[in-house]
């Protein structure tokens, strides 16, 4: 899971979705419909090879089944300050 990064564009999309739905990430992760939508946003921003290995339905199922574990992880990734890139 440590290799799973949420890029700035994905962060923006998730935050926009949460704001539009007027919910928190905790609310989204605990509701199957919202959870699937957050998973879809994150899935579309994964590297192509990862998306091929973990098709969207499989990724959404994983996200729902592991929501307790993933909620804090996603919160941390969304609120984490962007690290400078190594050159």
């Amino acid at each position: 899971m440590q290799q799973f990064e949420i890029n700035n564009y994905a962060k923006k999309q998730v935050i926009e979705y949460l704001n539009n739905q007027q919910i928190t990430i905790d609310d989204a992760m605990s509701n199957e419909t919202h959870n699937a939508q957050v998973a879809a946003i994150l899935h579309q921003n994964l590297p192509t090879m990862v998306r091929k290995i973990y098709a969207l339905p499989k990724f959404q199922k994983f996200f729902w089944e592991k929501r307790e574990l993933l909620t804090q992880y996603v919160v941390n990734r969304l609120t984490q300050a962007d690290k400078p890139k190594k050159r």
Side-chain angles (χ1 to χ4, degrees):
M1 261 188 27
Q2 294 302 324
Q3 295 176 358
F4 173 59
E5 292 293 327
I6 299 176
N7 65 36
N8 289 336
Y9 183 67
K11 285 180 190 179
K12 181 180 179 240
Q13 287 182 308
V14 170
I15 291 168
E16 219 171 73
Y17 174 78
L18 296 173
N19 289 340
N20 288 341
Q21 298 297 315
Q22 298 180 341
I23 57 174
T24 66
I25 190 67
D26 291 325
D27 295 336
M29 294 296 284
S30 63
N31 175 287
E32 193 168 5
T33 302
H34 293 303
N35 182 290
Q37 188 59 39
V38 170
I41 292 168
L42 297 177
H43 184 267
Q44 74 186 11
N45 289 285
L46 292 174
T48 303
M49 185 57 93
V50 177
R51 286 194 319 260
K52 287 183 179 184
I53 294 169
Y54 292 101
L56 179 57
K58 184 177 179 180
F59 192 73
Q60 288 173 318
K61 181 179 178 186
F62 168 76
F63 233 70
W64 179 246
E65 290 176 351
K66 303 295 182 188
R67 64 189 171 278
E68 292 85 14
L69 173 67
L70 290 171
T71 298
Q72 191 56 48
Y73 183 79
V74 171
V75 168
N76 290 343
R77 293 293 187 184
L78 290 177
T79 59
Q80 174 182 351
D82 295 324
K83 298 177 188 173
K85 302 268 185 199
K86 292 182 181 179
R87 292 184 177 208

